[in-house]
Amino acid sequence: MENLLNIFIKSIFIDNMIFAYFLGMCSYLAVSKTVRTSVGLGIAVTFVLLITVPVNYLIDTYLLKKGALSWLGASFADLDLSFLSFMIFIAVIAAMVQIVEMVIEKFSPALYNSLGIFLPLIAVNCAILGASLFMQEREYHGIAEVTSFALGSGIGWFLAIVGLAAIREKLRYSNVPAPLRGLGITFILVGLMAIAFMGLMGIKL
Amino acid sequence: MSTPEKEPLLSAKNLKLLTSPVGKNNPITVQVLGICSALAVTVKLKPALVMALSVTIVVAVSNVVISALRSRIPDRIRIIVQLVVIATLVIIVDQVLKAYAFDVSKQLSVFVGLIITNCILMGRLEAFAMSNSPWKSFLDGLGNGAGYGLILIIVGFFRELLGSGTVMGYPVIQKLGLYSAGYENNGMMILPPMALILVGLIIWVQRSRDKSLIENK
């Protein structure tokens, strides 16, 4: 249990998807103009991460990894399909996003309307594929650890985008040098936010 | 192109496809595409170069493939088709890197795989390759890859020089004897936030030189 909490906190603050790895940067910069929309996108990303990463973990452990197919019989024991993982992961993500979209539309039209066009866009958000690849690289043990990593990464992303959106809303009233306006100042802002987040790096859990 | 007369392969218009993404229409600083993987690989110049090369190859080849198939791809499943083409090319690049440049491939870690979701690819496929001929798409891919690479190389060069005092692993600062004069490496440059701030500064420089790029509020 302690271990799970550890992974959870670590993936929110220390290994933050945005500030430590710059994942999901494109939609992060494009959709962070207002707090309202960024909350929607943040929730959608968290949701999709929470579903796709555990599914990809199961696929990786029982189908792709070296020796993963041994449950099929001894002759399959030393097959290594891990070079296929990019293709499988992205297919799972694209399919999951589609399914999630349909399920939400059916059962919760209110949530569907608030997420709007962001859901399909998430399929090509690097944070989602990135989380699956990190899951593969860091070798978490068991589905519980993977799930807490996925939830933590999602919440970290959510916090980052809402924070940036809040600052950008205020920024509209300040006098930024013309060439820096818009994109330039946003980059520098994210950099400064990342420096602030690095203050949490020393925490030993 | 519907014009019946044959255009020369490198006409002025085609050449413009190649050069405009490097400057005025740069994928990173103007189109805001492909930032995700661009920043994390720029601590040192070498992985930045390898990354730039990989992305250029993938974007140019996938542009050609999709452009050649563009009249056959049903509109509704085009995203999946594009993703499959890109993923196949990225797997090839990844396997080649693992075989011939294993240490660099270890440094790039998940970011090779993340070329798949690099927005430059989807962006160029959607915006350009789906409506242009293969040769034009190839040039567009090369141009965008080069524009992306240029920013990566600038950021990688400064981060490595100021952060570790080397260029491509060669100890420039030490050879110049600056350490004995009291110079110290700026550890801040190695950390992720400085990549963002450097790109911000590049945008500042570019937009001060070219006023037409300035955004209106």
Side-chain angles (χ1 to χ4, degrees), chain B residues 35-57:
Chain B
I35 302 154
C36 321
S37 51
L39 302 173
V41 298
T42 50
V43 178
K44 290 256 157 65
L45 194 52
K46 200 172 166 200
L49 269 175
V50 173
M51 187 71 184
L53 208 63
S54 316
V55 170
T56 309
I57 293 170

Side-chain angles (χ1 to χ4, degrees), chain A residues 12-34:
Chain A
I12 295 181
F13 292 110
I14 301 166
D15 289 336
N16 188 291
M17 279 287 171
I18 296 276
F19 296 132
Y21 299 105
F22 313 111
L23 293 179
M25 212 62 187
C26 307
S27 39
Y28 180 70
L29 293 174
V31 190
S32 59
K33 288 204 175 95
T34 60

Side-chain angles (χ1 to χ4, degrees), chain B residues 23-25 29-30 206-207 210-216:
Chain B
K24 219 176 159 55
N25 204 9
T29 60
V30 182
Q206 193 192 14
R207 292 191 181 176
D210 189 344
K211 302 279 186 214
S212 64
L213 293 174
I214 292 174
E215 287 173 44
N216 296 316

Side-chain angles (χ1 to χ4, degrees), chain A residues 22 26 83 126 137 174 198, chain B residues 36 95 109 119 191 215 217:
Chain A
F22 313 111
C26 307
F83 67 92
C126 340
E137 197 183 79
S174 42
M198 276 172 48
Chain B
C36 321
Q95 298 288 322
S109 80
C119 335
L191 302 173
E215 287 173 44
K217 269 201 264 195

Side-chain angles (χ1 to χ4, degrees), chain A:
Chain A
M1 194 60 212
E2 204 175 299
N3 190 23
L4 294 184
L5 196 67
N6 190 349
I7 292 176
F8 181 65
I9 302 283
K10 206 171 160 213
S11 50
I12 295 181
F13 292 110
I14 301 166
D15 289 336
N16 188 291
M17 279 287 171
I18 296 276
F19 296 132
Y21 299 105
F22 313 111
L23 293 179
M25 212 62 187
C26 307
S27 39
Y28 180 70
L29 293 174
V31 190
S32 59
K33 288 204 175 95
T34 60
V35 173
R36 250 186 91 83
T37 48
S38 60
V39 168
L41 184 66
I43 292 174
V45 166
T46 313
F47 196 64
V48 174
L49 268 177
L50 196 54
I51 295 175
T52 54
V53 177
V55 170
N56 279 338
Y57 172 77
L58 292 179
I59 290 179
D60 190 45
T61 329
Y62 294 108
L63 291 176
L64 298 176
K65 240 188 220 166
K66 192 168 164 51
L69 281 172
S70 51
W71 54 270
L72 268 182
S75 53
F76 294 95
D78 49 337
L79 271 179
D80 182 6
L81 295 178
S82 54
F83 67 92
L84 278 178
S85 55
F86 294 162
M87 190 98 100
I88 305 281
F89 285 176
I90 195 73
V92 167
I93 289 168
M96 274 298 155
V97 168
Q98 202 86 58
I99 293 171
V100 166
E101 197 183 350
M102 288 191 288
V103 170
I104 294 183
E105 192 180 8
K106 182 112 179 38
F107 292 106
S108 169
L111 181 62
Y112 181 78
N113 285 333
S114 65
L115 294 182
I117 53 155
F118 300 129
L119 263 178
L121 278 183
I122 287 174
V124 285
N125 187 324
C126 340
I128 313 283
L129 182 62
S132 286
L133 294 176
F134 274 130
M135 170 274 294
Q136 195 186 25
E137 197 183 79
R138 290 184 192 155
E139 294 173 346
Y140 289 113
H141 299 289
I143 190 112
E145 283 188 11
V146 169
T147 313
S148 84
F149 161 71
L151 185 63
S153 305
I155 292 177
W157 206 90
F158 173 84
L159 288 178
I161 195 169
V162 175
L164 180 68
I167 298 178
R168 282 181 80 173
E169 279 194 357
K170 292 270 178 228
L171 203 65
R172 229 171 279 154
Y173 304 107
S174 42
N175 192 12
V176 180
L180 263 182
R181 231 177 263 156
L183 191 59
I185 193 71
T186 311
F187 266 104
I188 293 178
L189 249 178
V190 180
L192 293 176
M193 285 172 78
I195 292 177
F197 253 69
M198 276 172 48
L200 298 161
M201 226 169 209
I203 298 177
K204 268 269 180 293
L205 286 166

Side-chain angles (χ1 to χ4, degrees), chain B residues 15-28:
Chain B
L15 212 57
K16 197 140 185 289
L17 288 176
L18 199 58
T19 53
S20 90
V22 178
K24 219 176 159 55
N25 204 9
N26 190 289
I28 293 186

Side-chain angles (χ1 to χ4, degrees), chain B residues 61-117:
Chain B
V61 178
S62 64
N63 256 0
V64 171
V65 173
I66 291 293
S67 161
L69 292 172
R70 69 185 185 283
S71 54
R72 300 186 181 275
I73 300 174
D75 209 36
R76 297 188 60 182
I77 59 160
R78 66 180 194 285
I79 305 250
I80 295 180
V81 175
Q82 289 164 359
L83 279 177
V84 169
V85 169
I86 297 169
T88 315
L89 289 167
V90 171
I91 290 176
I92 295 172
V93 167
D94 182 49
Q95 298 288 322
V96 169
L97 280 184
K98 272 192 184 138
Y100 293 103
F102 189 70
D103 50 330
V104 180
S105 129
K106 263 271 159 304
Q107 277 176 35
L108 290 174
S109 80
V110 299
F111 291 98
V112 179
L114 286 175
I115 297 176
I116 298 174
T117 49

